[in-house]
Amino acid sequence: MDSIKLHYVVPGDDFTRAGAASGDVKRNLKTLGISPSIIRNVSIAMYEGEINMVIHAGGGVIDVEITETEIIMTLADKGPGIENVELAMSEGFSTAPDNIRSLGFGAGMGLPNIKKYTDEFSIDTKVGEGTTLNLKVYLQ
């Protein structure tokens, strides 16, 4: 199988469209016959990343590559960056404002869940410039 490359633009501050990219990837993986447990992991990780882009970064872009052995996801934004990655990785820590929390988002589980549901996880962030998440989920 040749690799499949997908590209998504995640609009900022639009909760009605948040999850569109992860939903499309989920449909593509189902069509390819990928196992449900892998689809679940990819969908959760991508959705959490999309929501973070909407809440914190004014949107961003997601690139996905599906190969014979892995699913590679790159989520990049030009938001404020993450001041303290270690703190941001703590379950329950959130910088989401009250109006976002009132919508049911911002519980502080985004980054911990992304790490939990991926096989490889790295954050490249610079305050004032943005954040890039590099994620992999293996197909084996």
Side-chain angles (χ1 to χ4, degrees):
M1 156 177 108
D2 291 334
S3 72
I4 297 168
K5 295 183 180 183
L6 305 167
H7 177 79
Y8 304 94
V9 175
V10 178
D13 300 320
D14 185 353
F15 287 97
T16 63
R17 293 176 51 199
S22 55
D24 187 65
V25 169
K26 181 178 183 178
R27 285 185 290 278
N28 276 285
L29 295 176
K30 281 183 179 179
T31 300
L32 293 170
I34 304 297
S35 83
S37 63
I38 291 172
I39 293 171
R40 177 179 176 266
N41 291 352
V42 169
S43 298
I44 290 170
M46 273 194 63
Y47 180 78
E48 293 283 14
E50 278 181 88
I51 290 297
N52 280 351
M53 286 179 173
V54 171
I55 293 171
H56 301 290
V61 295
I62 300 175
D63 288 294
V64 178
E65 183 175 3
I66 305 164
T67 72
E68 288 187 24
T69 59
E70 62 196 5
I71 300 160
I72 304 159
M73 297 159 277
T74 305
L75 294 80
D77 67 58
K78 302 281 189 215
I82 301 170
E83 288 187 29
N84 184 330
V85 173
E86 186 177 337
L87 187 57
M89 290 300 300
S90 304
E91 289 186 12
F93 175 79
S94 177
T95 58
D98 288 340
N99 66 315
I100 299 300
R101 291 174 190 247
S102 71
L103 297 172
F105 299 103
M109 292 303 296
L111 290 175
N113 276 340
I114 293 169
K115 184 175 183 180
K116 178 180 177 180
Y117 290 103
T118 56
D119 295 308
E120 289 186 28
F121 168 90
S122 70
I123 297 176
D124 180 21
T125 187
K126 192 162 196 175
V127 174
E129 293 186 21
T131 301
T132 299
L133 301 179
N134 296 294
L135 315 173
K136 284 186 185 179
V137 174
Y138 300 126
L139 295 178
Q140 300 297 330

